[in-house]
Amino acid sequence: MTRVAMLAGGVGAARFLDGLVRVVEPSDVTAIVNVGDDMEWSGLHISPDLDTVTYTLADLVNPETGWGLRGESRRTLDRLSELGGPDWFMIGDLDLATHLYRTHRLSQGDPLSAITRDFTARLGLECMITPVTDDRLRTVVGTDAGELAFQDYFVRRRASDPVHSLRFDGAESARPAPLVEEALNAADVIVIAPSNPFLSIDPLLSVPGVRELVIANRSKVAAVSPIIGGEAVKGPAADILQSLGHDVSALGVARLYDDLAEVFVLDDADAALASSIESETDMRVIVMPTLMTDVEAKMALASGTLEAARNVP
Ligand code: FO1
């Protein structure tokens, strides 16, 4: 039995989890998911990363985008646009039901974590998926155009603004959701997903107590690099490394994770960086293929990561 807790963002984390639940008992897995990307849309509460992880594990996700539901249409969105409503954020007709369900239950006073538990159980998932907090937490992106709400920066403006700063509104008073502390303490392995360190992992660590618990459990933490060959597999991680003055490479990411993780998983393409990472940080480096192109690749990455994290020298 291997209990695994994962610090998770959206698409990269969802793909890793899809492999993970095929190599360990799904009921031994807890995904602690970022909610800094959450937003209000036409009066509805949207939790993109929770939904991306859930839809992926339920085999419902749109494979072309990595988010949203397979086979949904944009008829409602097009109608909303005709009425003069917002149409820059693609809410599909089937996805809309999730937001109606979640928003209604939030309005009745149910916590996001309980709603997520019921929703994922309905979809037949055995692994635990929890928001990092039930409290309001919002990523705010500092750019030349001023401070932008996360989805304004990411979707509306296509992540094209250089990022000067990031803050997580609400973090100071947020409390970890009920399962979070227990999952981190009980885990045999904690995985930092191949997600954006600034936009996905930092908001999780900004919730008081979470960073401290990860550090306290450092000997069982493995971080997977989201940067391969100096480029992000998806999204603006490389641009943000650059604009915030970090090395645009897996080494730049490794420096950020040194106090958190014992093991750093590096792609084959970056094997030449292994010795500098090992000499500059206190992490053990494991080199393996990290591109999650198919189910076999996801499973191999998940089992390789677990093995490395459990194999304390
Ligand atoms: N990403 C986009 O690039 N464009 C969209 O219109 C968009 C809509 C969307 C709707 C629901 C959802 O759950 C996710 C959606 N995403 C969209 C993805 C999402 O904004 C980002 O991938 C994450 O927030 C970053 O992890």
Side-chain angles (χ1 to χ4, degrees), residues 174-198:
R175 291 148 303 166
L179 283 180
V180 169
E181 288 165 307
E182 188 194 323
L184 289 171
N185 280 327
D188 300 301
V189 175
I190 298 172
V191 177
I192 301 179
S195 297
N196 187 309
F198 306 102

PDB file of all heavy atoms in Angstrom, residues 174-198:
ATOM      1  N   ALA A 174      -6.953  32.104   4.866  1.00  0.00           N
ATOM      2  CA  ALA A 174      -7.501  30.815   4.398  1.00  0.00           C
ATOM      3  C   ALA A 174      -7.043  29.688   5.326  1.00  0.00           C
ATOM      4  O   ALA A 174      -5.933  29.719   5.861  1.00  0.00           O
ATOM      5  CB  ALA A 174      -7.036  30.546   2.970  1.00  0.00           C
ATOM      6  N   ARG A 175      -7.905  28.706   5.493  1.00  0.00           N
ATOM      7  CA  ARG A 175      -7.531  27.527   6.279  1.00  0.00           C
ATOM      8  C   ARG A 175      -7.524  26.307   5.363  1.00  0.00           C
ATOM      9  O   ARG A 175      -8.350  26.219   4.445  1.00  0.00           O
ATOM     10  CB  ARG A 175      -8.544  27.276   7.404  1.00  0.00           C
ATOM     11  CG  ARG A 175      -8.489  28.335   8.498  1.00  0.00           C
ATOM     12  CD  ARG A 175      -9.841  28.551   9.103  1.00  0.00           C
ATOM     13  NE  ARG A 175     -10.806  28.936   8.069  1.00  0.00           N
ATOM     14  CZ  ARG A 175     -12.127  28.944   8.223  1.00  0.00           C
ATOM     15  NH1 ARG A 175     -12.656  28.577   9.347  1.00  0.00           N
ATOM     16  NH2 ARG A 175     -12.924  29.314   7.235  1.00  0.00           N
ATOM     17  N   PRO A 176      -6.622  25.358   5.584  1.00  0.00           N
ATOM     18  CA  PRO A 176      -6.626  24.162   4.746  1.00  0.00           C
ATOM     19  C   PRO A 176      -7.984  23.463   4.844  1.00  0.00           C
ATOM     20  O   PRO A 176      -8.591  23.434   5.918  1.00  0.00           O
ATOM     21  CB  PRO A 176      -5.523  23.293   5.344  1.00  0.00           C
ATOM     22  CG  PRO A 176      -4.674  24.214   6.149  1.00  0.00           C
ATOM     23  CD  PRO A 176      -5.578  25.318   6.630  1.00  0.00           C
ATOM     24  N   ALA A 177      -8.461  22.901   3.745  1.00  0.00           N
ATOM     25  CA  ALA A 177      -9.715  22.137   3.748  1.00  0.00           C
ATOM     26  C   ALA A 177      -9.532  20.882   4.616  1.00  0.00           C
ATOM     27  O   ALA A 177      -8.392  20.463   4.864  1.00  0.00           O
ATOM     28  CB  ALA A 177     -10.093  21.774   2.317  1.00  0.00           C
ATOM     29  N   PRO A 178     -10.636  20.291   5.100  1.00  0.00           N
ATOM     30  CA  PRO A 178     -10.543  19.233   6.101  1.00  0.00           C
ATOM     31  C   PRO A 178      -9.540  18.098   5.824  1.00  0.00           C
ATOM     32  O   PRO A 178      -8.845  17.667   6.724  1.00  0.00           O
ATOM     33  CB  PRO A 178     -11.972  18.693   6.154  1.00  0.00           C
ATOM     34  CG  PRO A 178     -12.822  19.868   5.806  1.00  0.00           C
ATOM     35  CD  PRO A 178     -12.033  20.661   4.806  1.00  0.00           C
ATOM     36  N   LEU A 179      -9.443  17.625   4.583  1.00  0.00           N
ATOM     37  CA  LEU A 179      -8.582  16.461   4.319  1.00  0.00           C
ATOM     38  C   LEU A 179      -7.103  16.790   4.131  1.00  0.00           C
ATOM     39  O   LEU A 179      -6.268  15.876   4.121  1.00  0.00           O
ATOM     40  CB  LEU A 179      -9.036  15.781   3.020  1.00  0.00           C
ATOM     41  CG  LEU A 179     -10.279  14.910   3.037  1.00  0.00           C
ATOM     42  CD1 LEU A 179     -10.515  14.349   1.641  1.00  0.00           C
ATOM     43  CD2 LEU A 179     -10.086  13.770   4.038  1.00  0.00           C
ATOM     44  N   VAL A 180      -6.795  18.077   3.973  1.00  0.00           N
ATOM     45  CA  VAL A 180      -5.475  18.429   3.444  1.00  0.00           C
ATOM     46  C   VAL A 180      -4.330  18.055   4.400  1.00  0.00           C
ATOM     47  O   VAL A 180      -3.370  17.373   4.007  1.00  0.00           O
ATOM     48  CB  VAL A 180      -5.439  19.938   3.108  1.00  0.00           C
ATOM     49  CG1 VAL A 180      -4.028  20.409   2.801  1.00  0.00           C
ATOM     50  CG2 VAL A 180      -6.370  20.223   1.933  1.00  0.00           C
ATOM     51  N   GLU A 181      -4.450  18.468   5.658  1.00  0.00           N
ATOM     52  CA  GLU A 181      -3.335  18.230   6.578  1.00  0.00           C
ATOM     53  C   GLU A 181      -3.142  16.738   6.823  1.00  0.00           C
ATOM     54  O   GLU A 181      -2.020  16.229   6.817  1.00  0.00           O
ATOM     55  CB  GLU A 181      -3.579  18.987   7.892  1.00  0.00           C
ATOM     56  CG  GLU A 181      -3.391  20.492   7.679  1.00  0.00           C
ATOM     57  CD  GLU A 181      -3.966  21.322   8.807  1.00  0.00           C
ATOM     58  OE1 GLU A 181      -5.156  21.133   9.139  1.00  0.00           O
ATOM     59  OE2 GLU A 181      -3.224  22.170   9.338  1.00  0.00           O
ATOM     60  N   GLU A 182      -4.258  16.040   6.979  1.00  0.00           N
ATOM     61  CA  GLU A 182      -4.192  14.595   7.222  1.00  0.00           C
ATOM     62  C   GLU A 182      -3.560  13.878   6.026  1.00  0.00           C
ATOM     63  O   GLU A 182      -2.728  12.979   6.184  1.00  0.00           O
ATOM     64  CB  GLU A 182      -5.626  14.101   7.458  1.00  0.00           C
ATOM     65  CG  GLU A 182      -5.729  12.685   7.909  1.00  0.00           C
ATOM     66  CD  GLU A 182      -7.170  12.187   7.782  1.00  0.00           C
ATOM     67  OE1 GLU A 182      -8.105  12.976   8.045  1.00  0.00           O
ATOM     68  OE2 GLU A 182      -7.336  11.024   7.379  1.00  0.00           O
ATOM     69  N   ALA A 183      -3.956  14.290   4.819  1.00  0.00           N
ATOM     70  CA  ALA A 183      -3.425  13.622   3.617  1.00  0.00           C
ATOM     71  C   ALA A 183      -1.919  13.824   3.513  1.00  0.00           C
ATOM     72  O   ALA A 183      -1.177  12.888   3.182  1.00  0.00           O
ATOM     73  CB  ALA A 183      -4.123  14.159   2.370  1.00  0.00           C
ATOM     74  N   LEU A 184      -1.448  15.039   3.817  1.00  0.00           N
ATOM     75  CA  LEU A 184      -0.006  15.303   3.715  1.00  0.00           C
ATOM     76  C   LEU A 184       0.755  14.516   4.776  1.00  0.00           C
ATOM     77  O   LEU A 184       1.811  13.941   4.500  1.00  0.00           O
ATOM     78  CB  LEU A 184       0.274  16.807   3.855  1.00  0.00           C
ATOM     79  CG  LEU A 184      -0.169  17.671   2.672  1.00  0.00           C
ATOM     80  CD1 LEU A 184      -0.051  19.157   3.010  1.00  0.00           C
ATOM     81  CD2 LEU A 184       0.647  17.356   1.408  1.00  0.00           C
ATOM     82  N   ASN A 185       0.215  14.457   5.984  1.00  0.00           N
ATOM     83  CA  ASN A 185       0.920  13.744   7.051  1.00  0.00           C
ATOM     84  C   ASN A 185       0.877  12.235   6.870  1.00  0.00           C
ATOM     85  O   ASN A 185       1.838  11.539   7.185  1.00  0.00           O
ATOM     86  CB  ASN A 185       0.328  14.124   8.415  1.00  0.00           C
ATOM     87  CG  ASN A 185       0.877  15.455   8.890  1.00  0.00           C
ATOM     88  OD1 ASN A 185       2.026  15.794   8.610  1.00  0.00           O
ATOM     89  ND2 ASN A 185       0.055  16.211   9.601  1.00  0.00           N
ATOM     90  N   ALA A 186      -0.242  11.723   6.351  1.00  0.00           N
ATOM     91  CA  ALA A 186      -0.398  10.264   6.239  1.00  0.00           C
ATOM     92  C   ALA A 186       0.262   9.699   4.987  1.00  0.00           C
ATOM     93  O   ALA A 186       0.458   8.485   4.878  1.00  0.00           O
ATOM     94  CB  ALA A 186      -1.892   9.910   6.232  1.00  0.00           C
ATOM     95  N   ALA A 187       0.630  10.564   4.048  1.00  0.00           N
ATOM     96  CA  ALA A 187       1.136  10.074   2.762  1.00  0.00           C
ATOM     97  C   ALA A 187       2.492   9.375   2.922  1.00  0.00           C
ATOM     98  O   ALA A 187       3.320   9.781   3.735  1.00  0.00           O
ATOM     99  CB  ALA A 187       1.282  11.243   1.790  1.00  0.00           C
ATOM    100  N   ASP A 188       2.695   8.322   2.137  1.00  0.00           N
ATOM    101  CA  ASP A 188       4.035   7.727   2.021  1.00  0.00           C
ATOM    102  C   ASP A 188       4.865   8.537   1.043  1.00  0.00           C
ATOM    103  O   ASP A 188       6.085   8.617   1.159  1.00  0.00           O
ATOM    104  CB  ASP A 188       3.925   6.279   1.527  1.00  0.00           C
ATOM    105  CG  ASP A 188       3.096   5.437   2.487  1.00  0.00           C
ATOM    106  OD1 ASP A 188       3.484   5.349   3.667  1.00  0.00           O
ATOM    107  OD2 ASP A 188       2.046   4.911   2.071  1.00  0.00           O
ATOM    108  N   VAL A 189       4.178   9.101   0.058  1.00  0.00           N
ATOM    109  CA  VAL A 189       4.855   9.951  -0.940  1.00  0.00           C
ATOM    110  C   VAL A 189       3.974  11.177  -1.198  1.00  0.00           C
ATOM    111  O   VAL A 189       2.752  11.049  -1.330  1.00  0.00           O
ATOM    112  CB  VAL A 189       5.068   9.188  -2.275  1.00  0.00           C
ATOM    113  CG1 VAL A 189       5.669  10.120  -3.333  1.00  0.00           C
ATOM    114  CG2 VAL A 189       5.951   7.960  -2.083  1.00  0.00           C
ATOM    115  N   ILE A 190       4.620  12.336  -1.251  1.00  0.00           N
ATOM    116  CA  ILE A 190       3.927  13.564  -1.673  1.00  0.00           C
ATOM    117  C   ILE A 190       4.527  13.954  -3.022  1.00  0.00           C
ATOM    118  O   ILE A 190       5.750  14.045  -3.150  1.00  0.00           O
ATOM    119  CB  ILE A 190       4.134  14.709  -0.654  1.00  0.00           C
ATOM    120  CG1 ILE A 190       3.550  14.320   0.720  1.00  0.00           C
ATOM    121  CG2 ILE A 190       3.510  16.011  -1.164  1.00  0.00           C
ATOM    122  CD1 ILE A 190       3.867  15.301   1.845  1.00  0.00           C
ATOM    123  N   VAL A 191       3.659  14.140  -4.005  1.00  0.00           N
ATOM    124  CA  VAL A 191       4.143  14.514  -5.337  1.00  0.00           C
ATOM    125  C   VAL A 191       3.781  15.975  -5.602  1.00  0.00           C
ATOM    126  O   VAL A 191       2.638  16.382  -5.397  1.00  0.00           O
ATOM    127  CB  VAL A 191       3.501  13.622  -6.430  1.00  0.00           C
ATOM    128  CG1 VAL A 191       3.971  14.071  -7.822  1.00  0.00           C
ATOM    129  CG2 VAL A 191       3.839  12.155  -6.206  1.00  0.00           C
ATOM    130  N   ILE A 192       4.773  16.748  -6.013  1.00  0.00           N
ATOM    131  CA  ILE A 192       4.487  18.086  -6.549  1.00  0.00           C
ATOM    132  C   ILE A 192       4.348  17.896  -8.052  1.00  0.00           C
ATOM    133  O   ILE A 192       5.300  17.526  -8.747  1.00  0.00           O
ATOM    134  CB  ILE A 192       5.596  19.105  -6.207  1.00  0.00           C
ATOM    135  CG1 ILE A 192       5.748  19.215  -4.681  1.00  0.00           C
ATOM    136  CG2 ILE A 192       5.285  20.472  -6.826  1.00  0.00           C
ATOM    137  CD1 ILE A 192       6.834  20.188  -4.211  1.00  0.00           C
ATOM    138  N   ALA A 193       3.127  18.076  -8.540  1.00  0.00           N
ATOM    139  CA  ALA A 193       2.793  17.746  -9.927  1.00  0.00           C
ATOM    140  C   ALA A 193       3.606  18.595 -10.907  1.00  0.00           C
ATOM    141  O   ALA A 193       4.086  19.673 -10.558  1.00  0.00           O
ATOM    142  CB  ALA A 193       1.304  17.988 -10.158  1.00  0.00           C
ATOM    143  N   PRO A 194       3.718  18.108 -12.158  1.00  0.00           N
ATOM    144  CA  PRO A 194       4.368  18.936 -13.188  1.00  0.00           C
ATOM    145  C   PRO A 194       3.446  20.063 -13.629  1.00  0.00           C
ATOM    146  O   PRO A 194       2.979  20.121 -14.768  1.00  0.00           O
ATOM    147  CB  PRO A 194       4.626  17.923 -14.320  1.00  0.00           C
ATOM    148  CG  PRO A 194       3.601  16.860 -14.133  1.00  0.00           C
ATOM    149  CD  PRO A 194       3.330  16.782 -12.657  1.00  0.00           C
ATOM    150  N   SER A 195       3.162  20.931 -12.681  1.00  0.00           N
ATOM    151  CA  SER A 195       2.270  22.073 -12.891  1.00  0.00           C
ATOM    152  C   SER A 195       3.110  23.345 -12.820  1.00  0.00           C
ATOM    153  O   SER A 195       4.275  23.307 -12.416  1.00  0.00           O
ATOM    154  CB  SER A 195       1.204  22.118 -11.783  1.00  0.00           C
ATOM    155  OG  SER A 195       0.378  20.971 -11.813  1.00  0.00           O
ATOM    156  N   ASN A 196       2.501  24.462 -13.152  1.00  0.00           N
ATOM    157  CA  ASN A 196       3.210  25.740 -13.120  1.00  0.00           C
ATOM    158  C   ASN A 196       3.568  26.094 -11.664  1.00  0.00           C
ATOM    159  O   ASN A 196       2.679  26.221 -10.824  1.00  0.00           O
ATOM    160  CB  ASN A 196       2.298  26.819 -13.724  1.00  0.00           C
ATOM    161  CG  ASN A 196       2.999  28.139 -13.899  1.00  0.00           C
ATOM    162  OD1 ASN A 196       3.618  28.647 -12.967  1.00  0.00           O
ATOM    163  ND2 ASN A 196       2.901  28.702 -15.091  1.00  0.00           N
ATOM    164  N   PRO A 197       4.882  26.242 -11.351  1.00  0.00           N
ATOM    165  CA  PRO A 197       5.256  26.502  -9.952  1.00  0.00           C
ATOM    166  C   PRO A 197       4.655  27.790  -9.400  1.00  0.00           C
ATOM    167  O   PRO A 197       4.324  27.863  -8.220  1.00  0.00           O
ATOM    168  CB  PRO A 197       6.779  26.609  -9.987  1.00  0.00           C
ATOM    169  CG  PRO A 197       7.219  26.282 -11.353  1.00  0.00           C
ATOM    170  CD  PRO A 197       6.043  26.179 -12.260  1.00  0.00           C
ATOM    171  N   PHE A 198       4.510  28.802 -10.254  1.00  0.00           N
ATOM    172  CA  PHE A 198       4.024  30.114  -9.791  1.00  0.00           C
ATOM    173  C   PHE A 198       2.504  30.180  -9.742  1.00  0.00           C
ATOM    174  O   PHE A 198       1.930  30.733  -8.805  1.00  0.00           O
ATOM    175  CB  PHE A 198       4.546  31.224 -10.710  1.00  0.00           C
ATOM    176  CG  PHE A 198       6.027  31.210 -10.883  1.00  0.00           C
ATOM    177  CD1 PHE A 198       6.609  30.698 -12.036  1.00  0.00           C
ATOM    178  CD2 PHE A 198       6.855  31.674  -9.864  1.00  0.00           C
ATOM    179  CE1 PHE A 198       7.983  30.664 -12.188  1.00  0.00           C
ATOM    180  CE2 PHE A 198       8.233  31.643 -10.007  1.00  0.00           C
ATOM    181  CZ  PHE A 198       8.796  31.134 -11.181  1.00  0.00           C
TER     182      PHE A 198
END
